[in-house]
Amino acid sequence: MIRVRFAPSPTGLLHIGNARMAVFNWLFAKRHKGTFILRIEDTDVARSEKKYITQLIEDLHWLGLTWQEGPDVGGQYCPYLQSERLHIYNDICQNFLKEGMAYRCYCTYEELEERRQIAKLTGKPPRYDNRCRELTDKQKRAFETSGLSYTIRFKVPDELVVFDDLIRGTCQFDMSLTGDFVIMRSDGTPSFHFAVAVDDTLMNITHVIRGEDHLSNTPCHILLFHALKQKPPQFAHLSLTMGADRALLSKRHGAFSISEYRRLGYLPEGLLNYMMLLGWAPKDKKEKFKVDNIIDTFEISSMSKSASVFDQQKLDWLSGQYIRETDLDKLTNLAIPYLQTAGFVFTDETKIDRAKLKMILDAVRSNISCMSQIVQEVDIFFKDVVISENHVEFLSSETSQTILSTFYMNLQKLNTLSPDIFKEVLKTVQKETKVNGKGLYMPIRIALTGREHGPELYSIANILGINACKTRIERFLLVKNK
RNA sequence: GCCCCCAUCGUCUAGUGGCCCAGGAUGUCAGGUUCUCAGCCUGAAGACAGGGGUUCAAAUCCCCUUGGGGGUACCA
């Protein structure tokens, strides 16, 4: 049974880069009918916050990801919050100490920092020199009685660690170049390396799928797995995602958070689809797809090895594709909150004219790539028309007036309007005035909307309805008589 | 500094030695859609980082250089 985990630290909002790791873990689990686990790595007490855990879970759910084990759903390897597993790490660490695989280090943070600086300046590797490894009993006693706090370090053996990465192939690291690393901080919390190895062991994780930034950490983890007498899991290190500035996506890029995209009204299916396009490509070259349709073809080994740049324009295109295909009712529901905030629509949903709203959505959906953009597209349907000086002048011209009055007269013969009827009316106006193209459409468009741009005229007229159309035209017929 | 990973159009990618004077998508530009913006359709421009090998044959294998990214923390 395959078991994978997504293990974020709740130190900020979930961004595209991290979320993508979750997505591929989830996809891998689905592909192999395995278990997807959510584990929260909140051992960094200073930076972790509860609110981020809630937010994280919400964002992941919004994207459509589900997990079989996690802090919110439980599972047989409880708890899934590392902060609640402290006693476990401590017990295992005591064992390491007893077996001589780890030792206490009394170096202070300041001392270490100073040595690192000196090493850097003299061109030497800035790593820990393992000095507390060989402390004499006398020295140990002296440190003990002085009450100095200590960390616990793992004895890194001088060996070559070799492993096969599912994406990168064989990787090897010479561990004689690595200093003994901390597994327990002086405050009794485990370091990331230790917590990861312990939890992956205890939770029977079979495949560790994570970012390439962890590739260099992997040999340390493998050593720890050996110490835990556990066969290391399979590793797959995915390429990372960068912003347009070619710097890694991080909390610094606040705009790339999942909740921000959600707030802007991107459809989760579209975002999910786009994230999968980063580092992976569907065999059939159809870049817009339903996850269910690609699961069987997904091979993690075929994922890209190189980092990719997040392309907002392509996301917008893809998201727009989804908006064009989404069920109109559903789309209308998604639009309502934005229209309410903009004051275009009643707060009391029962008062909303849904039929009209649906027509509006249908008319403007191809102009937007996320739902928040709806607001700037629909004001012509909700606000009074404001005409600029230039437009008044334009509408007052001889030809414009001919068009408007002819159009108006034809409207007078009608009781209702539909896209088809509107097209017929325009044909008639064209015949009667001998004006066509821009000359014909522009006066009507401007009189009706006050703008030169907008959706198709026939759908505007249809949405406005015959009476509003008449009223809006009438106002500019009066201009002529003044 | 040292260690590790990576390198195809601006961007995401296909390509696993001959099917590739490199395919798709996005973006850009042009034309079409009897109005505009958008959409849609059609078309165009646009890449194997450089240098050495190996081979009858290299985008594909090897080496070097260059470039990018990561690690080297009592962050994860």
Side-chain angles (χ1 to χ4, degrees):
Chain A
M1 183 64 164
I2 279 175
R3 292 172 58 81
V4 295
R5 85 299 197 280
F6 175 55
S9 60
T11 54
L13 293 173
L14 182 69
H15 59 79
I16 297 279
N18 287 146
R20 184 172 153 268
M21 297 302 158
V23 168
F24 283 109
N25 269 286
W26 171 75
L27 193 57
F28 185 80
K30 277 176 98 82
R31 168 71 174 89
H32 299 283
K33 306 212 179 348
T35 305
F36 179 46
I37 298 149
L38 178 66
R39 184 175 74 216
I40 305 293
E41 309 215 325
D42 55 349
T43 56
D44 181 355
V45 224
R47 300 196 303 152
S48 296
E49 286 186 54
K50 268 254 149 43
K51 65 169 183 187
Y52 289 130
I53 300 179
T54 323
Q55 183 67 251
L56 200 100
I57 290 176
E58 217 176 294
D59 288 345
L60 253 18
H61 276 317
W62 175 74
L63 278 172
L65 306 202
T66 51
W67 43 95
Q68 291 73 51
E69 296 173 28
D72 55 334
V73 292
Q76 58 172 317
Y77 297 91
C78 271
Y80 293 90
L81 249 39
Q82 287 187 334
S83 58
E84 292 173 7
R85 301 170 64 80
L86 263 24
H87 60 284
I88 301 176
Y89 310 119
N90 198 263
D91 288 351
I92 293 176
C93 186
Q94 291 312 316
N95 224 288
F96 273 28
L97 245 22
K98 222 174 285 168
E99 294 185 24
M101 294 190 291
Y103 60 90
R104 290 176 179 182
C105 167
Y106 297 92
C107 300
T108 66
Y109 186 82
E110 289 73 23
E111 285 168 349
L112 292 168
E113 186 56 35
E114 193 187 321
R115 281 179 226 152
R116 250 195 305 275
Q117 290 307 327
I118 292 169
K120 260 188 188 168
L121 289 173
T122 51
K124 283 178 185 146
R127 68 174 177 88
Y128 178 63
D129 59 8
N130 300 357
R131 69 173 62 192
C132 293
R133 198 200 269 215
E134 309 297 348
L135 253 31
T136 62
D137 287 344
K138 199 177 163 190
Q139 286 169 313
K140 281 184 199 168
R141 269 197 304 277
F143 276 125
E144 285 303 325
T145 48
S146 72
L148 220 54
S149 68
Y150 56 85
T151 60
I152 294 170
R153 288 185 185 265
F154 181 73
K155 282 186 191 169
V156 175
D158 278 5
E159 60 182 53
L160 209 58
V161 173
V162 184
F163 63 94
D164 273 307
D165 188 274
L166 257 22
I167 293 172
R168 272 146 231 282
T170 306
C171 299
Q172 28 167 282
F173 291 83
D174 178 0
M175 297 313 279
S176 69
L177 267 19
T178 303
D180 293 343
F181 55 88
V182 171
I183 57 175
M184 275 294 200
R185 302 188 191 108
S186 50
D187 66 358
T189 60
S191 72
F192 160 72
H193 299 300
F194 191 52
V196 162
V198 168
D199 287 346
D200 285 345
T201 295
L202 262 27
M203 293 180 182
N204 281 314
I205 301 300
T206 59
H207 297 256
V208 170
I209 301 169
R210 62 198 343 179
E212 201 209 300
D213 50 341
H214 288 301
L215 191 61
S216 309
N217 296 145
T218 305
C220 294
H221 299 172
I222 287 178
L223 256 21
L224 253 13
F225 282 115
H226 290 326
L228 289 160
K229 312 203 168 34
Q230 171 82 4
K231 183 172 162 256
Q234 296 259 50
F235 291 94
H237 287 93
L238 307 192
S239 60
L240 268 12
T241 309
M242 304 179 290
D245 57 359
R246 301 215 129 243
L248 285 190
L249 244 44
S250 68
K251 273 131 211 182
R252 191 165 65 75
H253 294 81
F256 290 117
S257 70
I258 298 296
S259 32
E260 177 65 6
Y261 281 105
R262 181 181 178 183
R263 192 184 67 77
L264 288 170
Y266 280 82
L267 302 187
E269 301 86 351
L271 227 205
L272 187 72
N273 191 157
Y274 178 72
M275 283 193 284
M276 288 188 199
L277 254 23
L278 257 21
W280 180 78
K283 286 269 179 296
D284 64 4
K285 297 193 175 182
K286 293 210 174 79
E287 298 197 329
K288 179 177 174 296
F289 53 77
K290 283 207 175 66
V291 178
D292 286 345
N293 296 337
I294 55 97
I295 289 173
D296 292 339
T297 68
F298 176 70
E299 290 305 332
I300 197 151
S301 59
S302 68
M303 288 195 64
S304 170
K305 295 192 193 69
S306 48
S308 48
V309 173
F310 179 82
D311 184 355
Q312 180 64 48
Q313 287 180 312
K314 188 154 182 175
L315 199 216
D316 282 341
W317 164 75
L318 194 57
S319 181
Q321 295 295 311
Y322 276 88
I323 286 179
R324 259 150 252 152
E325 285 185 16
T326 299
D327 172 76
L328 205 49
D329 257 310
K330 189 180 160 195
L331 208 64
T332 306
N333 288 335
L334 291 172
I336 287 175
Y338 296 96
L339 297 175
Q340 286 171 329
T341 325
F344 289 153
V345 135
F346 292 108
T347 316
D348 179 355
E349 298 213 4
T350 59
K351 291 187 184 166
I352 293 175
D353 181 354
R354 283 191 65 94
K356 183 184 173 190
L357 221 47
K358 277 172 75 170
M359 285 196 282
I360 293 174
L361 261 306
D362 201 32
V364 302
R365 72 200 304 189
S366 66
N367 278 1
I368 61 173
S369 48
C370 60
M371 296 316 289
S372 59
Q373 289 172 352
I374 194 87
V375 174
Q376 64 219 64
E377 301 293 326
V378 301
D379 56 346
I380 54 168
F381 301 114
F382 298 107
K383 282 198 203 152
D384 282 339
V385 177
V386 181
I387 305 269
S388 71
E389 295 260 336
N390 284 348
H391 286 159
V392 171
E393 206 175 301
F394 173 69
L395 293 178
S396 309
S397 75
E398 197 64 34
T399 33
S400 295
Q401 284 296 317
T402 316
I403 303 283
L404 292 182
S405 50
T406 316
F407 178 58
Y408 185 73
M409 269 158 24
N410 278 287
L411 282 188
Q412 291 294 48
K413 299 176 196 159
L414 301 167
N415 298 319
T416 87
L417 214 47
S418 75
D420 285 339
I421 297 174
F422 179 85
K423 285 176 194 168
E424 283 304 312
V425 171
L426 271 215
K427 245 180 226 171
T428 315
V429 177
Q430 185 195 327
K431 269 181 208 150
E432 291 176 10
T433 62
K434 302 265 190 310
V435 179
N436 60 12
K438 209 166 176 169
L440 169 68
Y441 280 81
M442 238 353 130
I444 301 177
R445 171 177 291 280
I446 291 174
L448 249 28
T449 69
R451 296 216 190 153
E452 292 173 29
H453 308 307
E456 312 269 16
L457 250 192
Y458 64 82
S459 57
I460 293 178
N462 185 231
I463 292 162
L464 253 22
I466 186 127
N467 291 329
C469 283
K470 283 179 188 168
T471 322
R472 289 191 180 190
I473 298 289
E474 261 165 29
R475 304 201 321 201
F476 298 104
L477 292 176
L478 294 176
V479 167
K480 184 190 174 189
N481 303 330
K482 273 179 190 166

